[in-house]
Amino acid sequence: MSSLSSPRPLNLDLHDLGVAQLAARLAAGSISSVEVTQHFLNRIGQHAQLGAFLALDAEVSLAQARAADARLAAGERTPLLGVPLAHKDVFVTRDFPTTAGSKMLANYRSPFDATVVSRLGVGPGGAGMVTLGKLNCDEFAMGSGNENSAYQKVQNPWDTSRVPGGSSGGSAAAVAARLVPAATGTDTGGSIRQPASLTGITGIKPTYGRCSRYGMVAFASSLDQAGPMARSALDCALLLSAMAGPDPDRDSTSLDLPAVDYATDLIATRVYGTSANPLKGLRIGLPTQFFGAGCAPDVLAAVRGALSEFEKLGATLVDVSLPLTELSIPVYYVIAPAEASSNLSRFDGVRYGHRAANYTDLSDMYKKSRSQGFGDEATRRIMIGTYVLSHGYYDAYYLKAQKIRRLIAQDFQTAFAECDVIAGPVSPTVAWKIGEKSDDPVANYLADIYTLSSSLAGLPGMSIPAGFGEGGMPVGLQLIGNYFKEAQLLGAAHQFQLATDWHQKAPGASA
Ligand code: GLN
């Protein structure tokens, strides 16, 4: 298929409306949730070749839309009521199968919904959003290009010969192509921010613990975090307000902090300064290590362009240093596989997942079921993880990595003494061609250089559209905040998006 990178002019079809705009029309009664849901289901059908969806069930979605319409008819007015979204396929759902992109979980049906899913959904106490289906991802969220899905590759709607990023590649492609107004994603080492960057949408990974991990298929539990992906910071703020919050009975690592209305904060208050100078006083730190030779010139040019917009809004740029940035790759690729090897041990063919058809005894059954169910990348990580945790290697690898992880987190605190927000690229290049890195795991790992350190530190980070690079492909700007500063990130991003229109550009493929 040809390159579809030239932005098309914005018209106002239903699918061009964001979450906030759809919610306003639903609340005013000018459209119904059933109409909106049907419209998006039709678009998903028309763009099936993107490979973004792993599960759809129009009957289920329309029944949810009718439930939302009934709540609207009864006079309920909550910010997300009746707006559709789709979930990354690592969130378990009662109404749709959940595979985590793995053959291991083919046809798996969860008996319960993930906390994030029920908080957003139409059930009791939920925000009233309608689920359009489940979105493709790398197997168990391990990957950077969505090429590790056991089911199908996902195409980048800006150029269908390229990857959408990963692991939340289905979420990113679906939002960018306007198949959904918003989606959930998960980010362990960049999986919300990097695909958001590579597809020209907005995504935020909150502080570790801000959203409950209950019902998220576990990859690396000390890193996994849920977050929203949408076109604008405002839409992300609306979703995050519903997703976030303590879940003490179900996730002991969820933060015991009161829920925040991020969207009202954005609209009602200016985080800094005045209307002419809305970001006056905001100090943006630029880590020298994020602006070196490792980053492609087209990406750096777009990032610098976006930063000069921030300066026009009143922010000041300061140089900071994150000296251990380079070590974040080996540290992450020890710790994440170590945790993964433990988390994936539950897939034994007995309690969950695929079981081999023929086997001789119990250990043969384990061996065959796991060999058949896991793809190459999951298998590689189980082996690396088992190795670094084994007696004799634990101190040399796992313990050492944990110590450096702590130093990486300390470096951020040193940097935050000089700035409020840290900025830089998300990915060292624009989206690469499908197949270009699929046989080279290390090439994929290296592309995570700018997202891993903040994940290891547990800090919130986001990607916002910042222009275009080589091949007309989108480039994202990363903003990293200190702990619990999601509102500050969203506020800065919102002011940037009020002044620029990168986030409103749509790929030609979404026509
Ligand atoms: N690309 C990273 C990995 O492969 C991050 C994945 C993620 O954040 N889930 O592990």
Side-chain angles (χ1 to χ4, degrees):
M1 231 170 285
S2 64
S3 172
L4 298 157
S5 58
S6 52
R8 69 188 165 84
L10 194 69
N11 59 36
L12 283 181
D13 277 327
L14 267 187
H15 51 266
D16 286 317
L17 301 177
V19 172
Q21 294 162 312
L22 285 168
R25 282 165 177 74
L26 286 159
S30 60
I31 41 171
S32 70
S33 182
V34 167
E35 284 171 288
V36 177
T37 300
Q38 189 62 62
H39 179 85
F40 280 102
L41 288 171
N42 293 346
R43 274 187 69 74
I44 292 166
Q46 286 157 9
H47 294 271
Q49 86 290 347
L50 286 175
F53 276 84
L54 291 179
L56 290 161
D57 188 332
E59 285 314 306
V60 166
S61 301
L62 290 168
Q64 291 185 6
R66 284 192 291 275
D69 281 333
R71 281 164 65 173
L72 283 160
E76 186 180 329
R77 291 293 176 269
T78 43
L80 295 165
L81 186 53
V83 179
L85 92 166
H87 292 293
K88 184 178 183 181
D89 206 23
V90 296
F91 291 94
V92 301
T93 42
R94 240 191 326 229
D95 293 340
F96 294 86
T98 302
T99 68
S102 180
K103 198 177 148 192
M104 188 55 100
L105 284 174
N107 306 315
Y108 173 69
R109 276 273 171 173
S110 168
F112 64 94
D113 282 331
T115 296
V116 159
V117 170
S118 49
R119 285 204 172 145
L120 289 168
V122 291
M129 295 190 89
V130 172
T131 304
L132 292 167
K134 301 297 286 293
L135 292 160
N136 204 347
C137 56
D138 283 299
E139 183 173 14
F140 293 110
M142 298 170 181
S144 309
N146 218 120
E147 293 180 276
N148 298 334
S149 166
Y151 297 97
Q152 62 216 15
K153 302 217 190 296
V154 180
Q155 299 173 348
N156 190 318
W158 290 92
D159 174 350
T160 54
S161 70
R162 301 194 192 226
V163 300
S167 65
S168 311
S171 305
V175 172
R178 272 88 169 130
L179 309 188
V180 295
T184 53
T186 64
D187 191 311
T188 303
S191 282
I192 288 175
R193 291 162 285 162
Q194 186 258 22
S197 171
L198 268 41
T199 59
I201 66 163
T202 303
I204 180 165
K205 175 199 101 79
T207 308
Y208 178 79
R210 181 65 89 173
C211 295
S212 170
R213 287 183 295 111
Y214 181 71
M216 255 166 65
V217 178
F219 163 15
S221 306
S222 76
L223 294 154
D224 295 345
Q225 185 53 205
M229 302 170 76
R231 296 212 296 276
S232 66
L234 174 59
D235 287 357
C236 285
L238 284 163
L239 264 82
L240 186 59
S241 306
M243 293 166 74
D247 192 12
D249 298 334
R250 291 178 164 148
D251 176 3
S252 61
T253 63
S254 69
L255 292 165
D256 188 17
L257 293 172
V260 182
D261 183 347
Y262 296 101
T264 305
D265 277 6
L266 283 195
I267 297 163
T269 59
R270 292 190 179 280
V271 185
Y272 299 94
T274 62
S275 56
N277 242 342
L279 296 180
K280 189 167 164 42
L282 181 72
R283 296 167 304 159
I284 302 181
L286 311 182
T288 21
Q289 295 79 2
F290 282 34
F291 290 84
C295 191
D298 59 322
V299 172
L300 277 183
V303 164
R304 291 211 182 273
L307 289 169
S308 59
E309 287 296 331
F310 273 98
E311 281 185 298
K312 283 186 208 154
L313 295 169
T316 49
L317 307 180
V318 295
D319 287 328
V320 296
S321 184
L322 295 171
L324 298 179
T325 299
E326 238 176 29
L327 288 182
S328 63
I329 296 178
V331 166
Y332 173 88
Y333 281 100
V334 166
I335 292 173
E339 295 186 21
S341 70
S342 167
N343 276 324
L344 298 189
S345 66
R346 77 193 66 187
F347 300 105
D348 57 5
V350 178
R351 290 167 296 176
Y352 293 98
H354 174 77
R355 180 184 296 188
N358 304 302
Y359 46 86
T360 50
D361 56 18
L362 184 64
S363 68
D364 190 48
M365 192 270 280
Y366 288 153
K367 211 188 285 178
K368 290 204 171 111
S369 302
R370 286 171 66 82
S371 308
Q372 292 167 8
F374 290 128
D376 288 351
E377 187 59 26
T379 305
R380 184 177 296 117
R381 297 200 190 194
I382 291 168
M383 290 171 72
I384 294 171
T386 311
Y387 181 81
V388 301
L389 290 175
S390 59
H391 185 71
Y393 296 107
Y394 182 94
D395 287 356
Y397 294 106
Y398 183 70
L399 196 62
K400 183 74 140 283
Q402 291 288 29
K403 288 178 177 171
I404 303 170
R405 179 181 192 175
R406 170 52 61 95
L407 296 176
I408 289 171
Q410 279 170 7
D411 279 354
F412 274 105
Q413 293 315 307
T414 307
F416 280 126
E418 292 159 52
C419 63
D420 305 294
V421 165
I422 287 170
V426 178
S427 164
T429 64
V430 295
W432 52 91
K433 295 276 184 189
I434 293 173
E436 193 181 318
K437 295 187 188 179
S438 49
D439 296 328
D440 187 351
V442 175
N444 279 277
Y445 302 168
L446 293 175
D448 295 338
I449 177 75
Y450 303 127
T451 52
L452 297 179
S453 51
S454 48
S455 287
L456 288 164
L459 295 165
M462 72 187 295
S463 177
I464 55 174
F468 295 89
E470 178 257 315
M473 297 304 291
V475 174
L477 173 78
Q478 183 170 206
L479 298 174
I480 299 168
N482 212 339
Y483 299 112
F484 323 123
K485 299 280 193 185
E486 291 84 2
Q488 189 179 47
L489 292 183
L490 289 163
H494 181 58
Q495 292 305 325
F496 177 80
Q497 293 183 339
L498 289 175
T500 59
D501 65 355
W502 300 119
H503 64 293
Q504 288 172 345
K505 307 267 190 236
S510 72

